[in-house]
Amino acid sequence: MEEVSTVFVGLDVHAQSTAIAVAHVRREAPRFVGTVGARLSELIKALDKLGEPSTLLIVYEAGPCGYTLVRELRVKGYRCEVVAPSLIARKPGERIKTDRLDALKLAALARSGDLTTVKVPDERDEAIRDLCRARVDAVKARLKARQQLKAMLLRHGRRYTGKSSWTAAHERYLATLGFEHPAQDIAFTEYRLAVSEADARVRRLTEALAQQIENWRMLAVVRALMTLRGLDLVAATTVVAELGDMRRFAHPRDLMGYLGLVPSEHSSGATRRLGAITKTGNGHARRVLVEAAWNYRFAARISRILQVRQEDQPAAVRAIAWRAQLRLCQRYRRLSARGMQPNKVCVAIARELAGFLWDLGHQVTPAMQQH
């Protein structure tokens, strides 16, 4: 936090209210100002009583209210930062949590410089991220609809014997099914319609995503990541939308930690114990990388699809992608040969894959920031 600030303001922001606390540079205890409604005008009126915008440093936790407030306050001339709630120190004995106490803590920690800020994304970047997450939600809804349809068939002893479900052959099989009671036929038809609508929704969002990124400033980074095995257009776009400009990470370990792919640790004295991965940071990008890691169980090769993706890429990008395949495929075989659980193998591969993402992210420069 900047030392020139004379007043530190902590906001505990909710959908219907905002609690305000203030901490001055040379005063021992922060002071609770009060609670205002959700309107920006109410908050500005309260902030005006605390000093000029240039003398205030305002902080609030990242959460479901997003980044609208920080953008609005910055337009008004206020210095405002969004902080990472998972990195806020909490005393083991604290058992009381209220909006008032949270605002006071934020003000005090802002004054002491013990808060970690998060990067506020560009509005266009956030729009692409929202579209990616909408597609993820659509895929989950489709999976649920399919499970419900299969559950009904299983209850009535209808088992599909084909190779794979949700293909053209499977659809023809479903069209031949009938039930003894008309009510069951209605239920079955509604389940099929739900699956069809879910499929259409996923297709629409996928097509919209491909169209929207054509003029995105991060398109060059997306195409560079697509040279890696396991990262198609949707996966690469999701990673870039969630991580932003990877040049903000000084070292690959910083990116791995941000993704929560590093092991937890509890060490004391001569004892060093490593546990499960921390799962901190961005879970959306972590999921994509773990899923992509599964593709490295096969031998390293440049498939026709990868060849097409790499055709217009610089030699340095293609070299990194091939180096990633050679290392990760070999690593996957070695870990599997040791008898490691497949899920743990994928996590280990995903952690190293993040290092290659970092390398590619430093090879390609995004376009100029959009306004």
Side-chain angles (χ1 to χ4, degrees):
M1 300 302 175
E2 298 183 26
E3 295 295 330
V4 296
S5 300
T6 56
V7 179
F8 299 86
V9 181
L11 304 180
D12 190 51
V13 181
H14 295 278
Q16 302 299 330
S17 65
T18 300
I20 308 172
V22 59
H24 294 273
V25 174
R26 297 184 179 179
R27 295 187 181 181
E28 295 183 358
R31 174 174 59 87
F32 182 67
V33 175
T35 301
V36 298
R39 296 179 181 175
L40 179 64
S41 59
E42 298 179 39
L43 177 60
I44 295 298
K45 183 177 180 180
L47 293 176
D48 287 342
K49 298 178 181 178
L50 302 179
E52 295 295 325
S54 60
T55 66
L56 305 181
L57 178 57
I58 305 168
V59 297
Y60 71 92
E61 294 180 357
C65 293
Y67 301 102
T68 300
L69 179 59
V70 63
R71 294 186 181 117
E72 292 175 338
L73 288 176
R74 287 178 178 179
V75 169
K76 297 290 186 180
Y78 291 93
R79 288 176 296 161
C80 183
E81 299 290 346
V82 184
V83 300
S86 61
L87 299 179
I88 295 178
R90 303 189 186 279
K91 298 178 181 178
E94 288 184 351
R95 293 294 183 269
I96 300 177
K97 183 183 184 303
T98 64
D99 296 348
R100 177 179 178 274
L101 292 178
D102 287 345
L104 289 169
K105 176 184 285 189
L106 285 173
L109 293 177
R111 179 174 60 184
S112 63
D114 293 325
L115 294 175
T116 302
T117 61
V118 301
K119 180 177 175 56
V120 179
D122 175 74
E123 291 188 35
R124 173 65 172 169
D125 296 350
E126 188 178 20
I128 298 295
R129 188 183 67 181
D130 287 339
L131 187 56
C132 289
R133 293 185 179 182
R135 186 187 177 278
V136 171
D137 291 337
V139 170
K140 291 180 179 178
R142 182 179 64 180
L143 177 61
K144 184 65 175 178
R146 289 176 173 179
Q147 289 173 336
Q148 291 171 342
L149 175 57
K150 280 194 168 185
M152 180 180 181
L153 296 179
L154 184 60
R155 287 196 302 270
H156 296 281
R158 310 297 177 89
R159 292 176 174 82
Y160 180 59
T161 58
K163 291 184 178 180
S164 58
S165 300
W166 315 117
T167 60
H170 184 241
E171 289 296 327
R172 288 193 294 269
Y173 162 76
L174 294 178
T176 64
L177 296 181
F179 295 87
E180 296 180 359
H181 198 286
Q184 293 172 328
D185 284 327
I186 294 174
F188 175 64
T189 302
E190 289 292 342
Y191 279 133
R192 287 195 65 194
L193 290 174
V195 172
S196 178
E197 291 170 0
D199 277 332
R201 180 185 174 196
V202 172
R203 285 195 300 271
R204 288 196 305 269
L205 288 170
T206 303
E207 293 171 359
L209 188 61
Q211 294 173 0
Q212 290 296 319
I213 66 171
E214 284 300 319
N215 298 318
W216 190 27
R217 69 184 187 95
M218 304 295 288
L219 178 61
V221 183
V222 172
R223 289 177 173 168
L225 297 193
M226 288 175 62
T227 61
L228 293 169
R229 174 185 279 188
L231 291 179
D232 60 4
L233 177 67
V234 173
T237 303
T238 300
V239 169
V240 176
E242 296 293 342
L243 299 182
D245 191 347
M246 278 174 278
R247 293 176 299 176
R248 64 192 179 101
F249 298 101
H251 193 274
R253 286 193 297 268
D254 298 333
L255 176 57
M256 296 173 190
Y258 178 78
L259 292 169
L261 288 169
V262 296
S264 56
E265 181 176 351
H266 182 78
S267 300
S268 179
T271 303
R272 183 169 184 260
R273 297 178 180 175
L274 298 180
I277 59 172
T278 59
K279 292 187 179 181
T280 57
N282 196 293
H284 297 279
R286 180 174 63 250
R287 173 189 57 80
V288 172
L289 291 188
V290 173
E291 291 178 356
W294 181 248
N295 293 273
Y296 292 91
R297 67 190 186 277
F298 304 110
R301 59 183 290 267
I302 302 296
S303 64
R304 188 184 68 83
I305 295 177
L306 276 180
Q307 178 65 37
V308 173
R309 294 178 188 171
Q310 295 182 4
E311 285 178 353
D312 298 329
Q313 293 300 315
V317 171
R318 296 197 303 270
I320 293 172
W322 178 239
R323 190 165 67 247
Q325 278 214 59
L326 291 176
R327 174 172 176 79
L328 298 182
C329 291
Q330 183 183 38
R331 179 76 169 157
Y332 196 104
R333 290 195 301 271
R334 287 183 177 179
L335 293 178
S336 298
R338 287 165 46 184
M340 182 179 290
Q341 184 183 9
N343 289 344
K344 291 185 178 180
V345 174
C346 286
V347 170
I349 298 301
R351 179 165 55 248
E352 295 198 23
L353 180 58
F356 290 101
L357 290 182
W358 179 90
D359 200 359
L360 288 173
H362 282 66
Q363 292 289 333
V364 182
T365 303
M368 295 296 293
Q369 190 83 6
Q370 296 178 350
H371 298 282

